[in-house]
Amino acid sequence: MHMVAKPSGGMQQVLKLSLAATFCYVVATFYFGLRAHSLALISEAGHNVSDMLAIVLSYVAVYFQTRPATEEKTFGYQRAGVLAAFVNALTLIVLAGWIAFAALHRLATPEPVQPKLMMYVAAAGVIMNGVIAGLLWRFSGDVNIRSVFLHMLGDTLSTAAVILGGLAILFTGMTWIDPVLSMIIAGMILYSSYGIVRETLHILLEGTPKNLQLHEIRASMQSVEGVLNVHDLHVWSLGSSSHALASHVTIAEMPLSDCSAILEGINCALRDRFHIHHTTLQFETRGCETTHGCAAPPELEVAGGHAHHHHGHSH
């Protein structure tokens, strides 16, 4: 049974720090947004509330990913992070719609804003979000953490835009710049969220991992000496970076010891070239009407791999 590798304590510490800093910034942005009558700042507060939700969900997901597999959850909780990222991205899409709607209303009924206050608060946000995004980047190989990283990176860019907008309002007096900035922020949120929704939904629907090509995997398996054919081949993701494979493999009738050598060759190819450690391989024999297929016993599994259920298949 596969055991999920425990995420580093550094990942959890970064998420805790991000949560505390984001909470403080949400309170400050909302308060000063109201004082400055800036929809752009209030939009930033809403964006950062979604960041808080993202961080909380991601932290919970990291916790669940450390839990071992059980008889009820045989693959453990590897998809907890994927599910958290999916929920995060959906909340961002809803938030983007709300910001765009509020910005259109503000364009119809413009209000005076305080550009200097906008710029000061936004500058603090650029520094905070930039630092957090830099810390999260180290763990961005995980789609769960990457969704939070994109939140913070988007915030860094959008708060930088608020600074430029405040500067433009200060020199031109054009208050419509504030809601236009809000619409730009909404567009950035929507763009970053769409990619996460698509990637996580692909994993949840057990699609073939984007970085793997099924024909290449089949060719690699069939190149192992003794393999005649590979069919019923399925590859899917357990988590953001953990893949599994199930397949039928046709071989010629041979002694059991030769079968185990083929099994080892296939698993080595899958592990070394494609980083697939979870395999379920069912051997079928060709040209044999009376015997049952050969199966490699558990003690002959490849060291360091996680190949399971190497069944025989009768003909």
Side-chain angles (χ1 to χ4, degrees):
M1 184 173 290
H2 178 69
M3 300 294 288
V4 181
K6 184 175 182 178
S8 67
M11 181 188 297
Q12 294 174 320
Q13 291 301 318
V14 168
L15 289 174
K16 286 181 180 179
L17 174 64
S18 302
L19 182 60
T22 303
F23 174 77
C24 294
Y25 186 65
V26 164
V27 174
T29 307
F30 184 74
Y31 173 74
F32 288 110
L34 291 177
R35 286 195 57 182
H37 303 288
S38 171
L39 181 60
L41 278 184
I42 295 174
S43 299
E44 276 298 290
H47 192 183
N48 279 274
V49 167
S50 72
D51 286 345
M52 285 180 57
L53 176 63
I55 294 168
V56 170
L57 287 174
S58 295
Y59 185 83
V60 171
V62 168
Y63 165 75
F64 275 110
Q65 285 176 319
T66 64
R67 299 181 63 180
T70 66
E71 290 187 0
E72 291 184 349
K73 302 291 188 299
T74 55
F75 282 118
Y77 295 83
Q78 296 187 63
R79 285 193 177 168
V82 177
L83 185 59
F86 179 71
V87 173
N88 291 343
L90 287 181
T91 59
L92 276 178
I93 290 174
V94 173
L95 178 67
W98 177 83
I99 292 174
F101 178 80
L104 289 173
H105 178 74
R106 179 65 68 88
L107 279 173
T109 56
E111 294 184 15
V113 298
Q114 298 181 28
K116 289 185 178 180
L117 189 55
M118 281 177 60
M119 294 167 61
Y120 296 150
V121 177
V126 168
I127 296 171
M128 183 202 73
N129 289 320
V131 170
I132 293 175
L135 293 173
L136 290 171
W137 172 252
R138 292 186 300 158
F139 308 104
S140 60
D142 185 298
V143 69
N144 171 32
I145 301 301
R146 188 159 71 251
S147 70
V148 183
F149 166 75
L150 286 176
H151 275 260
M152 306 312 295
L153 180 62
D155 273 353
T156 304
L157 298 176
S158 60
T159 47
V162 171
I163 295 175
L164 296 177
L167 194 63
I169 295 171
L170 184 64
F171 283 100
T172 66
M174 298 178 179
T175 56
W176 58 262
I177 293 175
D178 183 64
V180 167
L181 277 173
S182 300
M183 295 185 71
I184 293 174
I185 293 170
M188 293 172 59
I189 296 171
L190 189 63
Y191 177 78
S192 63
S193 303
Y194 173 72
I196 293 294
V197 168
R198 185 174 60 179
E199 180 178 354
T200 53
L201 193 59
H202 186 74
I203 294 174
L204 293 173
L205 293 176
E206 299 193 341
T208 302
K210 291 191 302 181
N211 60 329
L212 299 178
Q213 299 295 324
L214 215 59
H215 66 274
E216 293 181 359
I217 296 174
R218 180 180 287 107
S220 181
M221 294 173 67
Q222 291 181 164
S223 68
V224 175
E225 185 177 358
V227 175
L228 301 179
N229 178 259
V230 173
H231 57 282
D232 288 339
L233 176 61
H234 305 277
V235 183
W236 67 99
S237 296
L238 301 173
S240 59
S241 58
S242 175
H243 310 311
L245 176 147
S247 179
H248 287 204
V249 179
T250 304
I251 60 175
E253 186 180 6
M254 62 183 65
L256 182 62
S257 58
D258 293 339
C259 290
S260 59
I262 294 174
L263 173 67
E264 182 175 351
I266 293 174
N267 277 295
C268 283
L270 294 173
R271 183 184 65 244
D272 297 341
R273 182 175 176 184
F274 304 104
H275 307 290
I276 298 175
H277 299 277
H278 266 296
T279 60
T280 303
L281 302 174
Q282 182 165 311
F283 282 176
E284 301 173 353
T285 56
R286 175 174 294 178
C288 177
E289 299 296 334
T290 58
T291 62
H292 300 286
C294 58
E299 63 269 23
L300 293 178
E301 291 179 8
V302 182
H306 298 282
H308 302 300
H309 309 303
H310 313 292
H311 303 296
H313 187 86
S314 60
H315 284 251

